[in-house]
């Protein structure tokens, strides 16, 4: 079923804003950052970070909040959500803990306007407004995170390291210089605290899942001038998929020192090792030879014991920040990001006989690769006076260099004896990959740029944000016997936003952003990457901030135009066996997004959102039809009052419209369709003592069966059935 147009119209926006205002009227406002908490029900999180000379209003850890006081994710200027002329969602530490959003995929699956497309157990791509999300930042520094096509993206990253995840929807060329007009994901790390504190959690769940987290922050000097923090995680177990055993372990360490009362330096390192066993590659055959669709139980899996897709991600970073007495500050960051992956996989293709189950054939591949990216960013920001008014300015420069190597053994038929899809228990021997020739790929990407943005106070209620970025981009790519050299100098990406404060609660905005997007994840039939796409995004919206900013609401309308956008070429593949793409001009996307995040009343947190878009290419063909056009979600928690205050209850629902693969398009010959569906979740938390609580999370409460993908290479894969996680949390 499709969501009626009425739910996307002004009535919904009015309902959200009026409802929020009503909630505010029922509860006296409190200063932001001083949310009252029953001490018996405090989360096992560390105190909010304190930095010499200033209070970080963006930090969410320890606040118990579902929103933040400010963000720099859109412009590098510290602005509240209401002051930012783009759609921004912040997934706070409290919300990640409440919903047990322990991976970046879990976070993005619960973010307004973000849709995931999960090809198999390891490969998940994320989309917003119809376009692939390829903008990822660590603490505001852009990073190219692996090769999304080969599954070394960000979905499996553990979130224990992060204070919050900020998602800015739309184009973000001002900060990243490049990227799709989809969204930018900013992973903001936790920082050391000045007093010793520690927390630990142990969780057990469905399919023998085990998870442990330890988090320690300590001063290294008596006055806390030098301090450190370490976070470690381990998770393993089985899965609802037969033979699949996800496993990951990670470590994060940081040392922070105040060289002077105004100068702080940081050194840090994080490591994530993702080593699943029995990894799937694609789904199971969707179509029988008679043209009818196959239906499988959710655990069915043809992956073998030797099937794996291992990923290692390492980051080392150094940062210096100096704060001047006049409100200005300068920040310099050096970052090195390394990835390595190795995959040996087996899948099934074909159209088996409905009566006998025979007719599917095993296909195998092997792929491995490494990458290294060095990035340096320096910026200065602060206020200045002009014509009797105070304004804000940020100027900066970025330079990065990424080298990547990859070797693929193209997909091949691993055996010509047909497999019975009714009995997938027979073991299949590992092919001798070592004796096979691989196709090498070598890529070098150099980027540099200077950027600036200014926020002018034109009048008391009217602010103008203008900026831009001059970028230099160069790529050298060798794929087998084919090579490509592309260079672009002084590419200008403009940014403009106008914000009008209607009153103390509401503001209206309009913004414009240019787009310049190198498409390194997409290759043509010769194996070379596509040349960059270009375009523009326009957005208009209304925002409301209630209860001194502890509750934020927004509604936005957007339109994007993009030329040379990557489009699948049906039945065409690269020399390495991956799907081939071509550039398409005239791509358009438009839609509406509504977002509500924060505190409705004392002890009552809420997150809600609705997003709808339409998108088509220059030929009028529906763009990325495998994505739902409308998504909606709600999650809320409430701490009971009085004698029941040790108990917090919560729940939510996620709904999405249908999606489909059209016949003879992209990777599908016969197509496939998944109807709209809703997933319900519940949670409960009980404070045993002031330091200890136990939480229970139940997902897919009504055990809904649904497809994660349907039609990709004429296969189907299913989502998880009902599952439970019980977590014991302790804080010292």
């Amino acid at each position: 079923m499709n969501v009626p147009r009425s739910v996307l119209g002004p009535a919904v926006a009015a309902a959200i804003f009026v409802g929020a205002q009503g909630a505010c009227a029922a509860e006296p406002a409190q200063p932001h950052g001083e949310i009252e908490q029953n001490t018996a029900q405090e989360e096992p999180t560390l105190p909010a970070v304190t930095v010499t000379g200033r209070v970080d209003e963006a930090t969410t850890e320890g606040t118990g909040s579902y929103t933040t006081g400010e963000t720099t994710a859109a412009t590098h200027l510290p602005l509240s959500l209401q002051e930012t002329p783009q759609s921004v969602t912040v997934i706070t530490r409290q919300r990640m803990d409440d919903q047990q959003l322990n991976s970046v995929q879990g976070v993005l699956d619960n973010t307004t306007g973000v849709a995931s497309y999960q090809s198999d157990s390891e490969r998940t791509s994320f989309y917003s407004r119809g376009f692939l999300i390829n903008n990822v930042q660590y603490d505001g520094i852009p990073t190219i995170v692996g090769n999304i096509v080969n599954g070394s993206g960000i979905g499996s990253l553990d979130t224990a390291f992060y204070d919050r995840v900020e998602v800015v929807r739309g184009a973000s060329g001002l900060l990243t210089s490049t990227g799709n007009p989809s969204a930018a994901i900013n992973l903001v790390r936790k920082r050391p605290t000045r007093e010793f504190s520690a927390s630990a959690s142990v969780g057990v769940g469905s399919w023998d899942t085990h998870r442990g987290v330890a988090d320690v922050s300590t001063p290294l000097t008596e006055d806390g001038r030098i301090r450190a923090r370490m976070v470690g995680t381990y998770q393993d177990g089985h899965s609802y998929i037969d033979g699949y055993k996800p496993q990951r372990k990670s470590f994060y360490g940081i040392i922070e020192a105040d060289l002077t009362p105004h100068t702080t330096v940081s050194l840090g390192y994080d490591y994530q090792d993702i080593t699943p066993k029995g990894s799937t590659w694609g789904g199971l055959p969707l179509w029988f030879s008679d043209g009818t669709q196959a239906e499988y139980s959710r655990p069915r899996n043809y992956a073998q014991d030797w099937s794996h897709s291992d990923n290692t991600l390492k980051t080392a970073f150094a940062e210096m920040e100096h704060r001047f007495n006049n409100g200005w500050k300068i920040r310099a960051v050096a970052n090195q990001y390394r990835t390595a992956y190795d995959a040996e996989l087996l899948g099934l293709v074909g159209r088996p006989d409905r009566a006998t189950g025979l007719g599917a054939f095993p296909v195998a591949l092997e792929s491995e690769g490494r990458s290294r990216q060095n990035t340096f960013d320096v910026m200065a920001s602060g206020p200045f006076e002009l014509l009797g008014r105070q304004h804000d300015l940020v100027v900066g420069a970025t330079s990065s260099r990424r080298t990547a190597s990859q070797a693929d053994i193209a997909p091949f038929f691993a055996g010509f004896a047909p497999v019975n899809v009714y009995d997938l228990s027979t073991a299949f021997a590992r092919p001798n990959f070592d004796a096979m020739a691989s196709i090498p790929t070598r890529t070098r990407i150099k980027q540099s740029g200077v950027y600036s943005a200014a926020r002018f106070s034109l009048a008391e209620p009217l602010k103008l944000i203008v900026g831009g970025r001059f970028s230099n981009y160069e790529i050298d790519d060798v794929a087998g016997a084919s090579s490509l050299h592309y260079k672009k100098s002084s590419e200008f990406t403009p940014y403009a936003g106008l914000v009008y404060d209607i009153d103390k609660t509401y503001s209206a905005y309009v913004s414009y952003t240019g787009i310049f997007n190198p498409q390194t994840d997409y290759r043509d039939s010769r194996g070379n990457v596509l040349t960059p796409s270009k375009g523009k995004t326009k957005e208009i919206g209304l925002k409301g901030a209630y209860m001194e900013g502890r509750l934020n609401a927004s509604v936005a309308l957007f339109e994007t135009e993009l030329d040379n956008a990557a489009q699948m070429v049906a039945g065409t593949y690269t020399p390495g066996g991956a799907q081939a793409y071509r550039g398409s001009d005239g791509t358009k996307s438009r839609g509406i997004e509504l977002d509500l995040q924060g505190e409705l009343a004392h002890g009552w947190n809420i997150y809600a959102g609705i997003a709808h878009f339409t998108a088509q290419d220059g030929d009028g063909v529906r763009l990325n039809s495998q994505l739902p056009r409308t998504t909606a979600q709600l999650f809320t928690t409430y701490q009971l009052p009085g004698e029941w205050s040790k108990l917090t209850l919560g729940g939510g629902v996620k709904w999405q419209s249908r999606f489909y693969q059209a016949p003879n398009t992209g990777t599908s010959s016969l197509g496939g369709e998944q109807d709209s569906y809703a997933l319900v979740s519940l949670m409960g938390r009980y404070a045993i003592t002031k330091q200890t609580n136990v939480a229970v999370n139940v997902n897919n409460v009504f055990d809904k069966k649904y497809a994660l993908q349907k039609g990709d290479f004429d296969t189907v894969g299913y989502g998880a059935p009902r599952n439970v996680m019980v977590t014991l949390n302790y804080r010292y």
Side-chain angles (χ1 to χ4, degrees):
M1 86 182 198
N2 292 317
V3 172
R5 288 178 178 268
S6 61
V7 306
L8 300 173
V12 171
I16 287 181
F17 281 91
V18 171
Q21 195 170 26
C24 296
E27 184 69 25
Q30 300 174 13
H32 177 70
E34 297 179 7
I35 302 173
E36 293 182 7
Q37 296 282 334
N38 186 301
T39 55
Q41 185 57 28
E42 289 181 350
E43 279 294 287
T45 55
L46 300 174
V49 175
T50 304
V51 180
T52 301
R54 66 185 176 95
V55 175
D56 189 349
E57 294 185 11
T59 299
T60 69
E61 187 182 17
T63 66
S65 176
Y66 273 26
T67 191
T68 185
E70 68 180 29
T71 178
T72 61
T75 64
H76 266 328
L77 294 169
L79 305 174
S80 68
L81 296 182
Q82 186 183 14
E83 296 169 326
T84 303
Q86 279 185 263
S87 300
V88 182
T89 294
V90 178
I91 300 86
T92 65
R93 184 68 258 168
Q94 183 68 50
R95 185 163 172 238
M96 286 188 276
D97 291 339
D98 285 349
Q99 286 189 258
Q100 287 291 297
L101 305 179
N102 297 323
S103 69
V104 170
Q105 178 170 349
V107 167
L108 297 179
D109 281 343
N110 289 275
T111 299
T112 297
V114 176
S116 63
Y117 186 75
Q118 188 167 339
S119 300
D120 44 43
S121 61
E122 312 308 324
R123 294 180 301 160
T124 303
S125 301
F126 303 97
Y127 294 79
S128 181
R129 301 183 174 183
F131 300 102
L132 177 72
I133 298 176
N134 59 355
N135 287 339
V136 178
Q137 304 166 28
Y138 284 87
D139 295 332
I141 305 302
T143 305
I144 299 175
V145 184
N147 185 322
I148 296 174
V149 175
N150 286 296
S152 52
I154 63 171
S156 296
L157 294 183
D158 202 291
T159 57
F161 301 167
Y162 308 121
D163 171 81
R164 61 193 181 278
V165 178
E166 300 172 330
V167 179
V168 182
R169 290 181 292 279
S172 58
L174 178 63
L175 300 188
T176 61
S177 78
T178 62
N180 268 329
S182 48
I185 302 166
N186 186 26
L187 307 173
V188 184
R189 298 181 180 97
K190 295 175 177 178
R191 295 286 173 161
T193 55
R194 292 180 174 274
E195 297 180 355
F196 177 82
S197 53
S199 67
S201 66
V202 177
V204 295
S206 299
W207 313 301
D208 201 27
T209 298
H210 297 85
R211 175 176 172 81
V213 180
D215 187 342
V216 178
S217 185
T218 182
L220 301 179
T221 59
E222 187 175 347
D223 59 0
R225 186 175 61 86
I226 303 175
R227 49 206 175 270
R229 187 166 190 171
M230 293 177 291
V231 182
T233 74
Y234 182 82
Q235 182 169 331
D236 68 2
H238 295 273
S239 164
Y240 71 96
I241 301 173
D242 289 340
Y244 177 58
K245 301 177 182 179
Q247 178 178 291
R248 66 174 184 256
K249 52 182 178 290
S250 59
F251 171 81
Y252 165 57
I254 180 173
I255 296 176
E256 198 170 74
D258 299 325
L259 301 183
T260 73
H262 300 285
T263 305
T264 302
V265 296
S266 304
L267 294 173
Y269 176 81
D270 66 58
Y271 168 89
Q272 303 227 20
D273 190 33
I274 303 161
T275 55
K277 303 303 179 186
S279 300
T280 65
W281 182 37
L284 296 175
L286 174 60
W287 296 95
F288 287 117
S289 57
D290 63 1
T292 59
Q293 284 193 19
E295 183 79 17
Y296 303 94
S297 62
R298 286 172 286 194
R300 299 291 296 281
N301 178 22
Y302 189 60
Q304 304 297 303
D305 291 342
W306 51 265
S307 300
H308 66 272
S309 182
D310 298 342
N311 285 277
T312 303
L313 305 97
K314 307 173 185 177
T315 306
F317 61 94
E319 177 182 332
M320 185 200 74
E321 181 179 286
H322 181 77
R323 299 167 294 278
F324 298 92
N325 290 328
N326 61 0
W328 275 75
K329 70 176 182 180
I330 185 169
R331 176 178 181 243
V333 180
N335 187 85
Q336 184 178 91
Y337 183 79
R338 292 175 177 260
T339 69
Y341 70 89
D342 173 50
E344 294 180 351
L345 300 168
L346 188 71
L348 281 180
V349 297
R351 301 175 191 170
D353 180 78
R354 184 180 184 88
T356 66
L358 296 174
F361 295 89
V363 178
L365 71 74
E366 195 259 1
S367 179
E368 61 180 5
R370 299 178 184 277
S371 72
R372 180 177 68 184
Q373 179 175 343
N374 296 322
T375 303
F376 180 75
D377 182 275
V378 60
M379 74 168 188
S381 62
F384 67 97
E385 289 190 4
L386 180 66
L387 301 178
R389 290 187 174 276
Q390 182 169 296
H391 316 278
D392 299 287
L393 177 68
V394 59
V395 293
T398 301
S399 176
S400 73
R401 177 187 175 97
R402 180 177 188 262
T403 57
S405 62
Q406 182 175 322
D408 296 325
I409 296 175
F412 62 93
F413 284 104
F416 294 97
V419 174
N420 190 333
V421 296
Y422 295 141
D423 181 12
L424 300 176
S425 60
T426 303
F428 192 93
R430 175 185 178 274
N432 186 9
F433 293 112
D434 299 334
M436 301 178 188
S438 62
I439 300 174
T441 301
R442 303 287 185 273
T443 306
R444 186 190 67 180
I445 302 172
K446 296 171 65 177
Q447 295 186 74
S448 62
V450 293
Y451 58 88
S452 179
R455 180 175 181 257
F456 294 102
S457 178
L458 303 182
E460 189 62 31
L462 187 63
K463 305 296 189 297
L464 172 66
I465 300 176
V466 292
R469 184 182 189 110
F470 283 98
S471 301
N472 302 310
Y473 179 84
E474 183 177 0
I475 180 170
D476 288 288
D477 184 74
V478 178
S482 182
S483 63
L484 170 74
H485 175 77
Y486 178 87
K487 184 175 182 179
K488 182 68 175 180
S489 300
S490 300
E491 177 71 23
F492 181 66
T493 306
Y495 181 94
L498 192 65
V499 181
Y500 179 75
D501 295 331
I502 300 172
D503 53 29
K504 292 184 178 180
T505 301
Y506 298 104
S507 65
Y509 73 89
V510 60
S511 63
Y512 172 93
T513 309
I515 301 163
F516 173 68
N517 179 40
Q519 305 183 97
T520 55
D521 287 319
Y522 299 111
R523 297 180 180 271
D524 61 21
S525 58
R526 297 186 304 164
N528 291 132
V529 298
L530 298 186
T531 54
S533 59
K534 296 182 180 181
K536 58 187 176 181
T537 290
K538 294 171 284 186
E539 186 172 321
I540 184 172
L542 179 68
K543 294 191 176 186
Y546 314 93
M547 301 175 69
E548 300 295 327
R550 298 201 310 281
L551 179 67
N552 288 278
S554 68
V555 57
L557 298 170
F558 63 86
E559 181 180 75
T560 294
E561 300 175 10
L562 194 64
D563 289 332
N564 200 40
Q567 289 280 65
M568 290 182 182
V569 182
T572 305
Y573 304 95
T574 69
Q579 173 64 44
Y581 293 80
R582 64 175 177 86
S584 175
D585 292 340
T587 299
K588 292 185 178 180
S589 171
R590 57 174 60 94
I592 183 172
E593 295 166 342
L594 300 98
D595 201 63
L596 181 68
Q597 49 191 316
E599 184 183 61
L600 281 175
H602 177 57
W604 184 6
N605 281 329
I606 188 169
Y607 180 83
I610 300 173
H612 173 78
F613 78 94
T614 60
Q616 60 185 27
D617 64 17
D619 298 324
V621 178
R622 184 179 172 109
L623 180 69
N624 290 328
S625 65
Q626 77 277 16
L627 304 177
R629 264 27 189 180
T630 308
T631 56
Q633 51 192 291
L634 166 71
F635 187 81
T636 184
T637 63
Y638 181 67
Q639 180 182 349
L640 276 60
E643 296 180 357
W644 292 92
S645 62
K646 291 184 177 183
L647 184 62
T648 298
L649 299 176
V653 60
K654 289 172 50 186
W655 180 90
Q656 68 173 46
S657 62
R658 75 180 184 113
F659 66 82
Y660 66 90
Q661 290 269 26
N664 298 313
T665 59
T667 61
S668 179
S669 60
L670 295 180
E673 180 176 340
Q674 167 64 54
D675 291 335
S676 62
Y677 64 89
L679 302 177
V680 176
S681 62
L682 296 173
M683 67 83 66
R685 184 173 59 244
Y686 181 77
I688 302 171
T689 68
K690 291 182 179 180
Q691 289 78 33
T692 308
N693 67 53
V694 61
V696 180
N697 291 79
V698 185
N699 298 311
N700 195 0
V701 173
F702 298 109
D703 203 25
K704 174 69 176 180
K705 185 178 182 180
Y706 60 97
L708 294 170
Q709 66 86 6
K710 201 169 188 179
D712 193 11
F713 290 98
D714 290 334
T715 67
V716 62
Y718 299 102
R722 180 171 49 239
N723 58 92
V724 180
M725 189 75 176
V726 180
T727 308
L728 180 65
N729 302 292
Y730 174 79
R731 185 186 70 182
Y732 175 79

